[in-house]
């Protein structure tokens, strides 16, 4: 057999600590604030999250130990292999070396369980017996369902009603893992009843589902709420991806010139990118690129501002790139990237000039996803195809420039639950769903009157 | 971290040869015959299969080299890990050590690509440009679609119409890998047109789809037909599963007391079992158990006889356990196990007393599948849940007997494309679909007048 196409770590080589980029930021990230402009205190968050996770959220300690019990469950599918995409390189006739970190081997099929397991563990340590969350298409809900079952917590997932009805398979997955999954809005919360009273046939929304999940958590015994992206501790738990990747490059005796990940809330990108940013902050020369959908261009067209995480303004105001909390993303198939905001830490490192951001239209991403599946075998999630599309752009540029660049992307999950998107693409039924200036301006108006974050430095 | 839960091989440790059990059978397996009772010659099969695969089909050489190009593609997901199911053991309070070989990591999610890649390779070596096949629920069709794309062949899949319409996701998977997938019967073959003339609204059947795929292969330029189970060369290609497992047990310094696999056509079971039967034939003391659905109990209730592989009697007569070629299996969710016949080699080793066979009802299997998902994380395919159910029976027996047995099962694939089965089970909508004596007797009548295979030795 010729040279190996993948780099595998043993379980013993799994990272034992997460990397916290808050220890190394040139300027600290601004704090979340309440609507009155005052900082949010840990005590204000205590009814929603357990205190041990709140402490992680605000920690500036560089390395945070991964509990043994968390490592043991992550080891079901971790360490994940780093692949050299030789067949894709050959199809592109590029001198670039393309690597991808395959996060699709977890039981639900994406990177999401990396934080779901950790969050379930810390909640249980804190004496919590039950977690609530919201989910759109269901990737996050299914990851948390599995994590809760393996850790020993009950789990209730409020799933946006239209997805609950149109995409029943993730709901079935949650059920197989013993979680309760309900169509939101429900009649069991005040928030849900209020919406239903106005419109009994509402398709639901992520904002409504968040409201219901938080209300359930703060009003139920031994219950807390769990979020699958955006927050600092969620990004922290994902850094195992980049830390493993660095070990794998060390084994290869090489180092990437370009690190690429797709961004929705920011967690899979941060998981891959932040450990490399540690190197960059310490003098290493590399580019780090966040790729978002042109239909939901938060980093490239949204201002850095204080904005709410949800339409109903239930959450604190977060300092982030945002399209405005009333923004309704176009119905692109990359459901996990359809979010008006962005993790404050990802927004902040863009402001700091540590990363670049690119928006790519949907059709180019699906073309990239199909080329990947037909050369490398694995069918990527529509979200992941954004990272692939950017990787292909860079590989083609390397060909034009005749440069042997090393590119690595985070392959965040498989597309086996998203095949109808591929079908619609191959039938020529999809469009790019670009965002018009008018729609953007209208949405940004929702932030008028909110406090502004301070300038850098 | 405590002791590792999985045993991983490096790519360099992948087996370089397949194991051919025909070299070691106490009595040779009877040959396939034509309806006139005369043996089928390689020349008679040449319009259907390439000669290099026909040679493999009849070879009695013990070890057959795996081509480098095949190994390179298998290495996308191989070697697969051998897991110790410690959480399942704990849930069962058993002293048994339970291991499972996870074949669910391949891009289509099952063991099927192990032979699909090899078959595509040998066809291409022989100058073939295009493969045809049939598929029921789509596991095999999607595996061959991927293999053809990666090897560089065209692929056309005749998918049973009712599955094509009711289970569209596997069809979409085939499309993503560039294969043409059509609902069978079609109007493009004589076999298809004949059926449509009689009943334009026919739901189709595997037998019709086989007829169409073979007709297409023998009447098209540079085209051959490919089968996903039953035949000797298909089972041969799957032995990489058991050969890897043996290396993994060697690393552990232990050896299984019981080897378990589910059986439909027989290929995943044989892939795990045959390398262990080599040890058994050479004096090792172990049990090897084939598990079939009680709704389609080929090995446990069907006689060993010469029977056709399809309803239309297009195929040669094969010496096998069979429920009769007119048998219509109950609509159990383990679609891959709904076959009236059984691989001649698997049937033969049962006759030889080398393996045991057990039939388990559907509900016990789904219960086992849910327990597995909720302890080990991965959601098994309904087919795989049969192996799990038997593993649980043996683990419980070990508990009762107070014995520390070592059990290994072939975990043939994940159930992410079969979640509606779990949903129906959790809703209490499934039944055991047992086979009545009357239905069996009626079906067995279809074999009246066919030649009988000789007795053993």
């Amino acid at each position: 057999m010729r040279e190996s196409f993948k780099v595998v770590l043993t379980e013993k080589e799994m990272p034992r600590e997460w990397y916290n980029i808050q220890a190394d930021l040139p300027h600290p990230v601004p704090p979340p604030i309440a609507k009155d402009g005052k900082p949010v205190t840990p005590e204000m968050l205590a009814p929603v999250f357990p205190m041990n996770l709140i402490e992680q959220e605000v920690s500036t300690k560089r390395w945070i130990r991964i509990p043994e019990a968390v490592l043991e469950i992550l080891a079901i599918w971790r360490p994940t292999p780093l692949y050299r995409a030789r067949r894709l390189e050959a199809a592109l006739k590029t001198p670039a070396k393309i690597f991808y970190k395959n996060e699709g081997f977890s039981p639900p099929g994406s990177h999401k369980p990396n934080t779901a397991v950790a969050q379930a563990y810390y909640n249980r340590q804190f004496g919590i017996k039950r977690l609530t969350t919201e989910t759109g298409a269901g990737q996050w809900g299914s990851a948390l369902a599995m994590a809760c079952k393996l850790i020993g917590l009950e789990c209730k997932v409020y799933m946006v009603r239209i997805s609950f009805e149109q995409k029943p398979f993730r709901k079935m997955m949650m059920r197989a893992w013993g979680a309760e999954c309900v169509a939101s809005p429900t009649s069991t919360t005040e928030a849900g009843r209020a919406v239903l009273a106005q419109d009994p046939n509402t398709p639901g929304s992520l904002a409504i589902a968040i409201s219901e999940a938080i209300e359930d958590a703060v009003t139920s015994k031994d219950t807390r709420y769990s979020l699958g992206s955006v927050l600092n501790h969620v990004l922290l738990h994902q850094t195992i991806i980049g830390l493993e990747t660095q070990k794998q490059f060390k084994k290869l005796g090489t180092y990437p010139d370009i690190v690429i990940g797709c961004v929705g809330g920011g967690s899979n990108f941060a998981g891959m990118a932040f450990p490399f940013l540690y190197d960059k902050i310490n003098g290493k020369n590399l580019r780090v690129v966040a790729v978002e959908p042109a239909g939901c261009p938060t980093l490239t067209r949204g201002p850095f501002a204080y904005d709410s995480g949800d339409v109903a303004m239930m959450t604190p105001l977060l300092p982030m790139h945002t399209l405005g909390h009333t923004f309704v993303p176009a119905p692109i198939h990359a459901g996990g990237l359809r979010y008006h905001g962005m993790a404050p830490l990802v927004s902040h490192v863009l402001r700091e000039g540590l990363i670049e951001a690119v928006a790519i239209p949907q059709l180019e991403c699906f073309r990239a996803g199909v080329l990947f599946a037909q050369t490398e075998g694995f069918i990527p999630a529509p979200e992941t195809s954004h990272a692939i599309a950017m990787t292909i752009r860079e590989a083609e540029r390397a060909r034009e420039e005749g440069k042997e660049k090393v590119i690595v992307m985070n392959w965040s999950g498989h597309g086996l639950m998203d095949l109808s998107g591929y079908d619609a693409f191959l039938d020529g039924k999809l469009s790019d769903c670009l965002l018009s200036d008018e729609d953007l301006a209208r949405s940004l108006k929702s932030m008028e009157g909110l406090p502004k974050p301070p300038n850098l430095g």
Side-chain angles (χ1 to χ4, degrees), chain A:
Chain A
M1 226 159 88
R2 277 179 270 169
E3 194 189 337
S4 173
F5 287 16
K6 58 183 197 274
V7 188
V8 176
L9 299 177
T10 65
E11 254 175 69
K12 285 198 201 323
E13 293 172 303
M14 274 175 79
R16 290 296 189 273
E17 294 169 319
W18 291 300
Y19 169 60
N20 182 7
I21 199 168
Q22 294 195 72
D24 295 301
L25 293 172
H27 310 85
V29 66
I33 57 174
K35 263 142 252 162
D36 60 8
K38 289 185 187 154
V40 172
T41 63
E43 291 67 34
M44 291 163 72
L45 295 172
V48 181
F49 300 109
M51 197 49 74
N52 49 8
L53 280 178
I54 295 170
E55 283 163 11
Q56 259 185 12
E57 182 69 16
V58 298
S59 171
T60 53
K61 208 179 141 198
R62 180 173 295 123
W63 300 102
I64 295 180
R65 198 180 59 81
I66 309 176
E68 293 292 301
V70 171
L71 280 172
E72 254 180 40
I73 294 181
L74 297 183
I76 293 175
W77 69 95
R78 304 205 73 87
T80 60
L82 178 71
Y83 283 81
R84 171 88 183 269
R86 282 188 192 269
R87 293 178 196 82
L88 177 61
E89 291 170 15
L92 297 171
K93 299 187 176 65
T94 178
K97 292 180 179 173
I98 300 175
F99 293 88
Y100 65 100
K101 177 77 166 165
N102 192 334
E103 290 292 306
F105 289 130
S106 74
S110 80
H111 67 290
K112 289 285 186 193
N114 293 332
T115 183
V117 171
Q119 290 191 48
Y121 169 81
Y122 284 111
N123 273 282
R124 192 178 156 150
Q125 284 296 103
F126 195 68
I128 301 304
K129 301 231 157 47
R130 179 173 172 271
L131 283 179
T132 65
T133 197
E134 79 291 335
T135 198
Q139 281 93 335
W140 168 243
S142 54
L144 192 67
M146 182 195 75
C148 284
K149 179 51 75 177
L150 295 183
I151 292 280
L153 294 178
E154 287 176 60
C155 180
K156 182 158 181 176
V157 182
Y158 293 83
M159 187 170 181
V160 176
R161 187 200 267 179
I162 188 160
S163 296
F164 186 92
E165 286 166 0
Q166 291 181 349
K167 299 184 171 181
F169 296 103
R170 288 271 174 194
K171 164 190 76 184
M172 296 178 189
M173 209 189 269
M174 295 177 224
R175 253 191 118 182
W177 280 314
E180 186 185 358
C181 176
V182 294
S184 166
T186 71
S187 58
T188 58
T189 67
E190 278 189 33
R193 281 191 296 271
V195 174
L196 287 172
Q198 284 202 327
D199 178 8
N201 298 315
T202 172
S205 75
L206 216 43
I208 299 166
I210 292 176
S211 305
E212 291 203 86
I214 294 178
E215 180 185 329
D216 182 337
V218 301
T219 58
S220 303
K221 192 163 177 288
D222 298 333
T223 301
R224 290 294 183 280
Y225 167 75
S226 173
L227 191 64
S229 191
V230 178
L231 298 179
N232 303 344
H233 67 274
V234 181
L235 276 50
L236 175 78
H237 301 155
Q238 295 291 357
T239 58
I240 193 167
I241 300 172
L243 293 166
E244 282 183 9
T245 306
Q246 289 177 321
K247 287 194 174 196
Q248 287 161 317
F249 274 114
K250 204 165 179 184
K251 286 203 172 192
L252 284 171
T254 182
Y255 193 89
D257 298 299
I258 311 173
V259 175
I260 296 172
C262 64
V263 278
S267 77
N268 99 75
F269 169 77
M272 173 59 94
F274 284 5
F276 284 99
L277 289 185
Y278 175 73
D279 292 349
K280 184 166 181 164
I281 290 165
N282 287 287
K284 198 90 181 175
N285 182 23
L286 78 157
R287 292 172 52 209
V288 179
V289 187
V291 191
E292 60 188 11
C296 191
T298 316
L299 288 174
T300 51
R301 293 177 67 192
F304 184 85
Y306 266 122
D307 196 12
S308 169
D310 67 317
V311 186
M313 302 195 74
M314 300 266 300
T315 74
L317 298 177
L318 299 172
M320 60 184 178
H321 279 276
T322 173
L323 298 166
H325 57 269
T326 60
F327 182 71
V328 180
I332 54 168
H333 277 269
L337 308 185
R338 295 177 68 240
Y339 185 61
H340 73 277
M342 179 59 63
L345 281 172
V346 171
S347 302
H348 186 75
V349 295
L350 178 63
R351 244 183 17 144
E352 294 272 21
L354 290 167
I355 67 168
E356 305 160 36
V358 175
I360 302 190
Q362 170 161 273
L363 295 182
E364 180 179 342
C365 295
F366 268 105
R367 265 195 304 277
V370 169
L371 177 61
F372 189 94
Q374 297 194 352
T375 52
E376 296 295 315
F378 296 105
I379 300 175
E383 291 83 357
T384 309
S385 73
H386 288 70
I388 299 169
M390 186 62 197
T391 299
I392 291 174
R393 283 190 186 182
E394 291 292 345
E396 288 177 339
R397 188 193 299 190
R399 183 184 63 210
E400 284 155 22
E401 296 175 356
K403 285 187 183 159
E404 203 185 87
K405 287 182 189 159
V406 175
I407 307 171
V408 63
M409 68 171 125
N410 192 23
W411 202 89
S412 54
H414 68 60
L416 298 192
M417 315 302 286
D418 309 282
L419 289 164
S420 52
Y422 282 92
D423 216 45
F425 169 70
L426 293 169
D427 280 338
K429 287 181 184 161
L430 295 189
S431 68
D432 272 337
C433 296
L434 300 181
L435 173 63
S436 72
D437 289 338
E438 295 70 37
D439 285 346
L440 176 57
R442 194 173 311 122
S443 171
L444 291 178
K445 273 198 187 151
S446 64
M447 289 190 292
E448 276 175 11
L450 293 180
K452 300 267 176 274
N455 285 332
L456 267 190

